[in-house]
Amino acid sequence: MTRDDVHSTFRTRLARPRDTPTRLALATLVGSDRFWGGLFLVLPFLALAATRVHEAFVPFAAGLPLGLCLWLQWLSHEFVAPEVAVDSAAATLTLSKPYGNGRYSPVDAADIDRVSIVQLSAIALVRLRYRRRGVSKPAATVIPSSGVAELRSRLAAMGFDAPVRRFEPRPAAVTRLAADPAVVRIAATPLAFLGYVGALSHLYGPRAFVTDAVVVPLVVLVIFGCYSAVWRFRLRRERRS
């Protein structure tokens, strides 16, 4: 982290293979709880209901899990090597694009509706909610946990009170953690995937998944995953050199 009187820059690196589960877990926390419920619970339920109306909806329903996986993978790419620059004098945040391909245009504080932070042991997820829909900026980024106080100070100077939700890995906090909405979302996402695929397989058998609606997103998912692995390897090699 670097800083001066009005600027702070936060850098994080989650490029190792063992960081993949962390990045995917963080991706499940992007957006509100209502948004997550609509995407991973309501939408699959509606897709299954549509297949009972007419089997023409079966290919769409079969391809839906892969579409959601691709979306999570895309979100997780924002967490590989992010950089967040905060200028409290100009009231702007500047986020880096994935894999060092430059930066997004600065985000004005006037365009941000709310900022919230989910703090883990070593890193913290910063969630941004914009006032306008369709803003082509990341909905979240990550910073080192050591920089949370500094970030909140910069945000307070810009007029934001960023609440922090902290995870406490102590045994005494296990019961409270199990009821935390963030923990529920992380645990429920793979269960929702497995339950949906199992229900679709039970209703229509393996033939439901032998369609272009499944093959095409699967190919895209594999290509995207290979690209991610190659670029993350390059990032690690540059760091070692």
Side-chain angles (χ1 to χ4, degrees):
M1 181 179 72
T2 60
R3 65 180 180 180
D4 56 30
D5 290 339
V6 296
H7 300 86
S8 293
T9 302
F10 307 88
R11 299 181 180 89
T12 313
R13 184 66 64 94
L14 295 174
R16 300 167 299 181
R18 64 175 177 267
D19 292 327
T20 299
T22 300
R23 293 198 312 272
L24 290 174
L26 291 170
T28 66
L29 298 178
V30 175
S32 65
D33 293 336
R34 181 180 299 178
F35 173 78
W36 178 88
L39 198 61
F40 290 94
L41 298 178
V42 177
L43 185 59
F45 174 79
L46 293 177
L48 281 176
T51 64
R52 306 307 291 169
V53 174
H54 198 287
E55 289 197 2
F57 293 103
V58 172
F60 165 77
L64 180 61
L66 288 172
L68 293 176
C69 285
L70 186 59
W71 183 74
L72 287 176
Q73 188 182 46
W74 175 263
L75 287 179
S76 73
H77 285 192
E78 296 285 350
F79 309 139
V80 171
E83 179 180 303
V84 185
V86 184
D87 186 336
S88 54
T92 60
L93 277 74
T94 304
L95 309 176
S96 63
K97 293 184 178 180
Y99 309 125
N101 294 329
R103 297 183 176 186
Y104 296 100
S105 58
V107 181
D108 292 329
D111 294 330
I112 301 175
D113 180 46
R114 187 183 308 165
V115 181
S116 60
I117 300 172
V118 180
Q119 183 176 341
L120 284 72
S121 57
I123 58 175
L125 177 72
V126 181
R127 301 192 294 191
L128 304 173
R129 181 175 177 179
Y130 300 100
R131 296 185 184 277
R132 296 180 292 108
R133 295 183 181 274
V135 175
S136 58
K137 303 292 193 306
T141 187
V142 292
I143 64 170
S145 287
S146 59
V148 169
E150 174 70 17
L151 177 63
R152 293 193 72 201
S153 175
R154 295 298 187 193
L155 291 173
M158 296 163 58
F160 293 103
D161 179 19
V164 180
R165 177 186 294 169
R166 292 182 173 89
F167 286 92
E168 301 178 44
R170 299 191 300 271
V174 170
T175 303
R176 184 158 59 86
L177 274 175
D180 191 291
V183 177
V184 172
R185 282 173 64 168
I186 292 173
T189 299
L191 294 178
F193 274 116
L194 292 174
Y196 178 76
V197 172
L200 197 62
S201 299
H202 175 73
L203 291 173
Y204 301 102
R207 65 181 178 86
F209 300 96
V210 189
T211 65
D212 291 342
V214 173
V215 174
V216 172
L218 179 61
V219 171
V220 174
L221 189 65
V222 171
I223 293 174
F224 203 27
C226 292
Y227 173 79
S228 171
V230 170
W231 198 274
R232 284 187 279 111
F233 173 77
R234 291 177 179 174
L235 284 175
R236 296 194 302 272
R237 187 173 60 181
E238 289 174 2
R239 188 177 183 181
R240 287 196 297 266
S241 62

